[in-house]
Amino acid sequence: MTTGPALLLVEDDHGLAALLGRVLSGEGYAVTHAPDGQLGLHLALTRSFDVLVVDRGLPAVEGLDLIAKLRRQSVATPVLVLSARGSTEDRVEGLDAGAEDYLTKPFEVPELLARLRALVRRHRDDAEFLALPGGLLDPQQRIVRRADGDTVELSEREAALLAVLASRPSQVFSRRDLLARVFDEAESDNVVDTYVHYCRRKLGRGVISTVRGLGYRLGSS
Ligand code: CA
């Protein structure tokens, strides 16, 4: 199953969050909603998203603090800030905190959608090649160019699994998370183990490590 871009919406206005959730899901995004900055920060640090939409005025952790904390942890996911504060100074503050884009409330939904498409596209172009132990993964072509010059072809699911692991190289992904991101939640956890095995057979044992009791991570240590 191919899912659309994974989007984290951090917004404490429940009416707006519900509206945006419906619109964005309708556009094919896999939307996760966090109603405060603390949960938003936790999710952004522990799960992988293609794009974040972050309200500026949030309970618990303020929007720009959330972004600054993510950037300090080397999370490079593109962020669009939503804010009622739209002066030049406010926008500059948002961009300085590490946001890629800044949209002032109230906004037109088509403009939000267009800006999100641009962010996701740019992020994907940047991420055309992903580093693996001993090679570079091209997720679109589904090949690994190995350091020794050889090319290894991957199936769609092998490439998708490695792309998720390589998108956050230090993060341990649970089987359940990988099942949701790469496979189909209706399938058994065993399918994850099976594809880890396939990847190791093609690329060597060290390409994915097992973290006992937790899941899998890129690399051998
Ligand atoms: Ca708010």
Side-chain angles (χ1 to χ4, degrees), residues 6 11 13 25 27 32 39 41 45 115 131-132 138 146 160 167 173 178 191 221:
E11 170 61 74
D13 177 334
S25 301
E27 291 292 312
T32 302
L39 181 60
L41 180 63
L45 285 172
R115 287 175 181 232
L132 298 179
D138 181 336
R146 287 178 14 161
S167 69
F173 289 87
L178 291 172
V191 73
S221 59

Side-chain angles (χ1 to χ4, degrees), residues 23 78 164-165:
V23 169
V164 168
L165 293 172

Side-chain angles (χ1 to χ4, degrees), residues 31-43:
V31 180
T32 302
H33 173 228
D36 67 64
Q38 193 158 6
L39 181 60
L41 180 63
H42 173 73
L43 288 170

Side-chain angles (χ1 to χ4, degrees), residues 11-12 55 57:
E11 170 61 74
D12 61 321
D55 179 33

Side-chain angles (χ1 to χ4, degrees), residues 63-77:
L64 298 192
D65 288 343
L66 185 161
I67 297 164
K69 286 190 165 99
L70 285 181
R71 297 310 185 223
R72 277 202 294 276
Q73 298 286 320
S74 305
V75 175
T77 314

Side-chain angles (χ1 to χ4, degrees), residues 103-165:
L103 193 56
T104 306
K105 294 176 179 178
F107 54 86
E108 301 288 335
V109 167
E111 181 172 8
L112 172 67
L113 294 176
R115 287 175 181 232
L116 286 175
R117 279 195 298 273
L119 277 183
V120 169
R121 197 163 51 226
R122 211 182 310 153
H123 185 59
R124 289 209 163 148
D125 289 346
D126 287 350
E128 201 172 343
F129 291 96
L130 293 163
L132 298 179
L136 284 176
L137 168 68
D138 181 336
Q140 267 74 47
Q141 302 293 317
R142 302 206 297 263
I143 52 170
V144 174
R145 294 181 196 287
R146 287 178 14 161
D148 62 14
D150 279 357
T151 299
V152 179
E153 290 183 21
L154 302 173
S155 73
E156 190 176 340
R157 290 175 141 199
E158 289 163 355
L161 173 62
L162 285 169
V164 168
L165 293 172

